[in-house]
Amino acid sequence: MGNLIADPPARRCVIIGAAPNPDLPVKLLRPEDFIICADGGLDHALRQGITPDLTVGDYDSLQNANRLASLEHVTLPVEKDDTDTMAAIKIALERGFRDFLLLNCAGGRLDHTYANLTALFYLQRHHAEGLLIDGSCTAQILENERVELSERCGEGLSLFPFGCQQAVVSGEGVYYPLRSQCLQAGFPLGVSNRIVSDSAWIAVEEGTVLMISEKR
Amino acid sequence: MGNLIADPPARRCVIIGAAPNPDLPVKLLRPEDFIICADGGLDHALRQGITPDLTVGDYDSLQNANRLASLEHVTLPVEKDDTDTMAAIKIALERGFRDFLLLNCAGGRLDHTYANLTALFYLQRHHAEGLLIDGSCTAQILENERVELSERCGEGLSLFPFGCQQAVVSGEGVYYPLRSQCLQAGFPLGVSNRIVSDSAWIAVEEGTVLMISEKR
């Protein structure tokens, strides 16, 4: 008998949202990425010559609705529990993806931006890696783990408790020392630190952390 | 002897941040508002003919630095624990303000946006009312309280646990019923509800909630 549990796809799943950003960072895409457009994200993708592998949404305000027939697409009801991004994430998790990049998922409406940060937390809780990249910022959720920041030397670094009252974080190679530093949800103490070493790392010792690094 | 504890100022404190929005919603301002510009927020304010009562920042990238001499201003060190917005909030709290409106504090860099949501939580913990308005969205932090939504009929309504794993919310006059509804930080279930009655209200029964209403 073969494996009953299939290996997850090694391909990354990129979800393109509908935030009204002028340009998608197409240089971040790899040829082998599995690309899902969440509703109006399809308009952004097509405008930049990107044909998604799958589209998910209710399409109630889609400009390129005529293109749906030629694409694999899932049509959601207008009244639904999930946001379009969450629906896309659930479908991708069911298909076995465990590595996610969210683009065009921040910077538009604040409720959508916040919901998409929550979606990062959902991914983390479902044993998947998730990055949300918005302009110069990269957001991810960390819990009970150590992350190497070797490729981010020179970037800004902000750390916030997420989904918890407080979090405890240590790290090296950052400008403001982090030695079992307690971060509170009601006080943005972890803002605008800086990664100053090629061997920098941070470790979340307690709680859940939203880490946002920022290219300068 | 007079009162040892002064009554807090009845005036509202408006903090104008540095997010790169094209236009400040000047129609939201009242003549009696006490206006603080947080660093680059001064450029936005001056461009729209608004002269602040106070300016706070390190001014390292301010275009209108020559205007500072004619304004009350606090100069922060470049290396500081507080964000410019948080520094402005602390000064205003010390001066007795308890009613805050944050403008131009979202929609720019994601780390700044998130830090400013945290600043709303800080206000709530310091017994002050805080609204953050960004485009069509109004954000506020609620804890152990009931809010009347009578003036927001027709608006979208999203509710997220903030600084806690879960929150329990009830409400009436909203499209998707809220009856001791449990909201989880890792799942955006409370997104895109709708206020459908002039007598709508919501009550936070457990935890802390970030409420974002959205004009349609």
Side-chain angles (χ1 to χ4, degrees), chain A residues 5 25 55 106 166 175 210:
Chain A
I5 301 172
T55 291
Q166 66 175 40
Y175 187 78
L210 170 65

PDB file of all heavy atoms in Angstrom, chain A residues 5 25 55 106 166 175 210:
ATOM      1  N   ILE A   5      -1.201   9.121   3.894  1.00  0.00           N
ATOM      2  CA  ILE A   5      -1.162  10.583   4.006  1.00  0.00           C
ATOM      3  C   ILE A   5      -0.197  11.120   2.960  1.00  0.00           C
ATOM      4  O   ILE A   5       0.992  10.824   2.980  1.00  0.00           O
ATOM      5  CB  ILE A   5      -0.714  11.019   5.415  1.00  0.00           C
ATOM      6  CG1 ILE A   5      -1.691  10.444   6.436  1.00  0.00           C
ATOM      7  CG2 ILE A   5      -0.624  12.535   5.504  1.00  0.00           C
ATOM      8  CD1 ILE A   5      -1.260  10.628   7.864  1.00  0.00           C
ATOM      9  N   PRO A  25       3.836  43.234  -6.341  1.00  0.00           N
ATOM     10  CA  PRO A  25       5.289  42.991  -6.406  1.00  0.00           C
ATOM     11  C   PRO A  25       5.565  41.684  -7.158  1.00  0.00           C
ATOM     12  O   PRO A  25       5.898  40.662  -6.556  1.00  0.00           O
ATOM     13  CB  PRO A  25       5.684  42.907  -4.929  1.00  0.00           C
ATOM     14  CG  PRO A  25       4.449  42.442  -4.224  1.00  0.00           C
ATOM     15  CD  PRO A  25       3.277  42.942  -5.018  1.00  0.00           C
ATOM     16  N   THR A  55      -9.331  30.927  -8.758  1.00  0.00           N
ATOM     17  CA  THR A  55      -9.920  32.173  -8.290  1.00  0.00           C
ATOM     18  C   THR A  55     -11.070  31.835  -7.343  1.00  0.00           C
ATOM     19  O   THR A  55     -11.819  30.883  -7.590  1.00  0.00           O
ATOM     20  CB  THR A  55     -10.396  33.025  -9.485  1.00  0.00           C
ATOM     21  OG1 THR A  55      -9.257  33.478 -10.201  1.00  0.00           O
ATOM     22  CG2 THR A  55     -11.169  34.230  -9.043  1.00  0.00           C
ATOM     23  N   ALA A 106      -3.220  44.039   2.402  1.00  0.00           N
ATOM     24  CA  ALA A 106      -3.153  45.090   3.427  1.00  0.00           C
ATOM     25  C   ALA A 106      -3.103  46.442   2.739  1.00  0.00           C
ATOM     26  O   ALA A 106      -2.820  46.531   1.542  1.00  0.00           O
ATOM     27  CB  ALA A 106      -1.914  44.900   4.312  1.00  0.00           C
ATOM     28  N   GLN A 166       0.032  39.466  26.546  1.00  0.00           N
ATOM     29  CA  GLN A 166       1.466  39.754  26.543  1.00  0.00           C
ATOM     30  C   GLN A 166       2.254  38.620  25.919  1.00  0.00           C
ATOM     31  O   GLN A 166       1.772  37.488  25.818  1.00  0.00           O
ATOM     32  CB  GLN A 166       1.969  40.033  27.964  1.00  0.00           C
ATOM     33  CG  GLN A 166       1.898  38.844  28.887  1.00  0.00           C
ATOM     34  CD  GLN A 166       2.529  39.142  30.252  1.00  0.00           C
ATOM     35  OE1 GLN A 166       2.371  40.224  30.793  1.00  0.00           O
ATOM     36  NE2 GLN A 166       3.252  38.173  30.789  1.00  0.00           N
ATOM     37  N   TYR A 175      19.085  46.018  17.385  1.00  0.00           N
ATOM     38  CA  TYR A 175      19.657  47.232  17.962  1.00  0.00           C
ATOM     39  C   TYR A 175      19.252  47.419  19.422  1.00  0.00           C
ATOM     40  O   TYR A 175      20.097  47.693  20.275  1.00  0.00           O
ATOM     41  CB  TYR A 175      19.242  48.443  17.126  1.00  0.00           C
ATOM     42  CG  TYR A 175      19.930  49.712  17.554  1.00  0.00           C
ATOM     43  CD1 TYR A 175      21.247  49.954  17.174  1.00  0.00           C
ATOM     44  CD2 TYR A 175      19.276  50.649  18.343  1.00  0.00           C
ATOM     45  CE1 TYR A 175      21.903  51.113  17.571  1.00  0.00           C
ATOM     46  CE2 TYR A 175      19.922  51.809  18.740  1.00  0.00           C
ATOM     47  CZ  TYR A 175      21.233  52.037  18.357  1.00  0.00           C
ATOM     48  OH  TYR A 175      21.870  53.173  18.758  1.00  0.00           O
ATOM     49  N   LEU A 210       3.010  39.045  16.493  1.00  0.00           N
ATOM     50  CA  LEU A 210       2.982  39.545  15.117  1.00  0.00           C
ATOM     51  C   LEU A 210       4.301  40.257  14.886  1.00  0.00           C
ATOM     52  O   LEU A 210       4.589  41.273  15.541  1.00  0.00           O
ATOM     53  CB  LEU A 210       1.808  40.514  14.940  1.00  0.00           C
ATOM     54  CG  LEU A 210       1.772  41.303  13.629  1.00  0.00           C
ATOM     55  CD1 LEU A 210       1.566  40.402  12.418  1.00  0.00           C
ATOM     56  CD2 LEU A 210       0.670  42.379  13.681  1.00  0.00           C
TER      57      LEU A 210
END
